[in-house]
């Protein structure tokens, strides 16, 4: 069931669109990430949903009720911002109880709920500490507990992990995901980190310049990006400018590959310039003979990043550079200067439209 629906929402600041005709449905119980580069309008869209910003046009409904003009404090949404905005003069328990106090919940219920939430965030022994005496990760958990204390109808998280170091951030991503699934609370999270979005989201909304570029499950977007912007933004990718030539495509430098399958009616005409996307893990590196494999290119290894569990290799293919992901087991002894063959299996090659010039 769809809970939150945005109908043709725009937000203009002066003459510029921060949010440009956005239509979106957020399904019940799912975690949706707004993902995009700095300035693409993620926070503005989130603030419109929160009620902290009024759209210039368009509307939003929640469970069928129009919320467009309903103020933030009457929406019953829980929020966690990048700054966390915890009250420094209050203890952990007082911070968590704050939304319950605002609602004039009786003190016995408040105490029970706070105890429950402290258990849930695994900080029951820190109830009486000031939040200034907590670590970044602990503060993070308190902010989430406070946001969900009053059982909000929707949880909004705006870059809540950006102040944490990489390791803690990854651990908190898992915690947020498990908590969200356990509570089944519909959640929207803003992030500019594609890895974070891939880890957490049921659905990712990729934005650029105020517009939604693609909405989909993380792996669907990774495998089938609709355009060059999305392909480039989600994951590592080799995006090569190629030209169609009959049933082949010509790569920079002149090597050729078989024309990848295109959805019906979308095969490029001969001479047309398009982009070829192939993910590094799909590039198959051969260090010996060329073998019988088709779609195989000559190249020379120009860089090897071997981190033990995996190898990232850069291959100069006479006119362009490929990044390949492999393992020490698959390609033992791979080193800079080594001549190799790179197989680009036809099923892993995707043609996508070139990014329109800005
Ligand atoms: P970031 O990841 O850097 O936070 P974002 O994707 O969240 O970026 P927004 O903060 O939504 O982007 O900003 C979108 C655009 O709207 C930007 O060009 C920004 O400068 C502009 N903008 C946002 N708020 C205002 C405001 N109050 N007044 C004028 N322009 C604004």
């Amino acid at each position: 069931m769809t809970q939150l629906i945005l109908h043709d929402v725009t937000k203009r600041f002066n003459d510029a669109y921060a949010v440009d005709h956005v239509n979106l449905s957020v399904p019940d119980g799912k975690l949706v990430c707004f993902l995009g580069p700095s300035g693409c309008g993620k926070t503005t869209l989130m603030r419109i949903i929160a009620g902290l910003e009024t759209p210039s046009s368009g509307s939003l409904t929640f469970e069928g009720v129009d919320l467009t003009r309903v103020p933030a404090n009457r929406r019953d949404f829980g929020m966690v911002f990048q700054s966390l905005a915890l009250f420094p003069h209050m203890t952990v328990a007082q911070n968590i109880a704050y939304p319950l106090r605002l609602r004039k919940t009786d003190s016995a219920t408040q105490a029970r709920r706070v105890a429950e939430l402290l258990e849930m965030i695994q900080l029951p022994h820190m109830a009486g500490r000031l939040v200034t005496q907590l670590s970044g990760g602990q503060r993070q958990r308190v902010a989430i507990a406070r946001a969900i204390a009053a059982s909000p109808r929707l949880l909004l998280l705006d870059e809540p992990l950006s102040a944490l170091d990489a390791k803690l951030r990854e651990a908190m991503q898992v915690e947020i995901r498990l908590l969200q699934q356990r509570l089944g609370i519909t959640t929207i999270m803003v992030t500019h980190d594609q890895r974070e979005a891939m880890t957490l989201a049921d659905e990712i909304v990729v934005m650029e310049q105020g517009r939604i570029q693609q909405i989909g499950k993380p792996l669907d977007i990774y495998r089938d990006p609709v355009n060059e912007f999305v392909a480039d933004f989600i994951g590592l990718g080799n995006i090569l400018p190629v030209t169609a030539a009959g049933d082949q495509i010509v790569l920079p430098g002149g090597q050729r590959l078989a024309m990848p399958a295109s959805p019906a009616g979308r095969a490029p005409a001969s001479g047309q310039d398009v982009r070829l996307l192939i993910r590094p893990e799909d590039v198959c590196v051969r260090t010996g003979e060329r073998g019988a494999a088709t779609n195989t290119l000559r190249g020379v290894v120009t860089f090897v990043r071997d981190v033990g569990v995996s190898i990232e290799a850069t291959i100069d293919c006479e006119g362009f550079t490929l990044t390949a992901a492999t393992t020490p087991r698959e390609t033992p002894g791979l080193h800079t200067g080594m001549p190799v063959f790179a197989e680009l299996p036809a099923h892993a090659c995707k043609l996508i439209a070139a990014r329109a010039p800005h």
Side-chain angles (χ1 to χ4, degrees):
M1 197 182 71
T2 298
Q3 243 185 350
L4 175 73
I5 303 179
L6 277 68
H7 309 265
D8 215 21
V9 168
T10 65
K11 180 69 187 178
R12 282 190 308 273
F13 291 112
N14 308 317
D15 279 343
Y17 280 101
V19 173
D20 193 353
H21 296 94
V22 162
N23 288 286
L24 178 67
S25 300
V26 177
D28 199 11
K30 300 290 184 203
L31 194 154
V32 173
C33 276
F34 293 169
L35 174 68
S38 180
C40 73
K42 312 176 291 285
T43 296
T44 305
L45 190 57
M46 178 76 114
R47 288 172 57 81
I48 289 172
I49 295 169
L52 301 171
E53 205 78 74
T54 314
S56 307
S57 65
S59 62
L60 68 152
T61 57
F62 188 80
E63 292 172 345
V65 178
D66 190 335
L67 281 193
T68 318
R69 308 276 154 202
V70 175
N73 59 359
R74 305 249 320 272
R75 292 191 184 191
D76 289 339
F77 295 167
M79 295 175 223
V80 180
F81 295 103
Q82 192 172 334
S83 62
L84 303 187
L86 291 168
F87 303 115
H89 58 285
M90 289 189 194
T91 64
V92 167
Q94 286 165 341
N95 263 284
I96 297 175
Y98 186 76
L100 302 168
R101 262 178 52 204
L102 277 188
R103 293 174 163 223
K104 308 208 183 332
T105 310
D106 67 79
S107 49
T109 312
Q110 274 188 38
R112 199 176 56 242
R113 182 81 179 126
V114 169
E116 252 171 46
L117 288 162
L118 282 168
E119 279 298 330
M120 189 189 75
I121 60 168
Q122 296 168 8
L123 294 177
H125 51 295
M126 297 207 176
R129 267 207 205 176
L130 289 176
V131 289
T132 47
Q133 297 165 332
L134 302 180
S135 73
Q138 290 165 341
R139 252 179 264 177
Q140 188 60 50
R141 288 189 227 165
V142 174
I144 291 172
R146 187 180 65 176
I148 60 178
S151 306
R153 303 189 295 168
L154 185 67
L155 181 60
L156 303 174
L157 308 172
D158 189 355
E159 303 255 13
L161 307 180
S162 55
L164 306 180
D165 67 56
K167 207 162 176 186
L168 184 55
R169 192 177 168 127
E170 299 231 330
M172 285 302 300
Q173 287 166 0
V174 176
E175 279 192 30
I176 289 180
R177 182 57 168 155
L178 293 176
L179 185 67
Q180 186 272 334
Q181 285 178 329
R182 187 144 47 84
L183 300 175
I185 183 168
T186 311
T187 302
I188 301 177
M189 175 154 165
V190 166
T191 180
H192 61 267
D193 177 346
Q194 58 93 17
R195 200 176 140 85
E196 184 162 287
M198 299 277 295
T199 308
L200 280 162
D202 291 300
E203 289 213 341
I204 296 179
V205 176
V206 186
M207 295 181 66
E208 187 198 22
Q209 295 193 331
R211 297 203 193 116
I212 294 181
Q213 296 290 326
Q214 189 166 3
I215 303 176
K217 294 188 172 62
L219 282 181
D220 290 348
I221 292 185
Y222 182 77
R223 294 201 179 113
D224 276 313
V226 293
N227 58 30
E228 192 180 354
F229 171 79
V230 179
D232 195 23
F233 201 75
I234 304 277
L236 285 175
N238 297 289
I239 301 174
L240 307 170
V242 297
T243 309
D247 59 359
Q248 292 188 317
I249 49 171
V250 183
L251 292 150
Q255 297 200 70
R256 289 173 178 243
L257 295 173
M259 174 71 71
S262 301
R266 286 182 43 198
S270 276
Q272 193 180 332
D273 293 329
V274 285
R275 299 287 182 263
L276 171 72
L277 167 69
I278 182 148
R279 299 290 185 189
E281 65 274 22
D282 291 323
V283 176
C284 185
V285 181
R286 291 182 208 294
T287 51
E289 294 298 305
R290 181 184 191 114
T294 53
N295 264 24
T296 300
L297 307 170
R298 292 179 305 275
V300 174
V301 176
T302 54
F303 186 75
V304 175
R305 190 202 309 271
D306 187 343
V307 293
V309 62
S310 62
I311 297 177
E312 184 189 302
T314 309
I315 303 168
D316 180 348
C317 289
E318 304 173 3
F320 65 95
T321 300
L322 269 183
T323 303
T326 172
T327 64
R329 191 171 299 168
E330 281 171 58
T331 51
L334 199 68
H335 61 264
T336 302
M338 192 177 199
V340 290
F341 293 102
E343 187 197 346
L344 279 53
H347 66 85
C349 293
K350 298 254 182 303
L351 291 185
I352 47 177
R355 188 194 299 242
H358 291 310

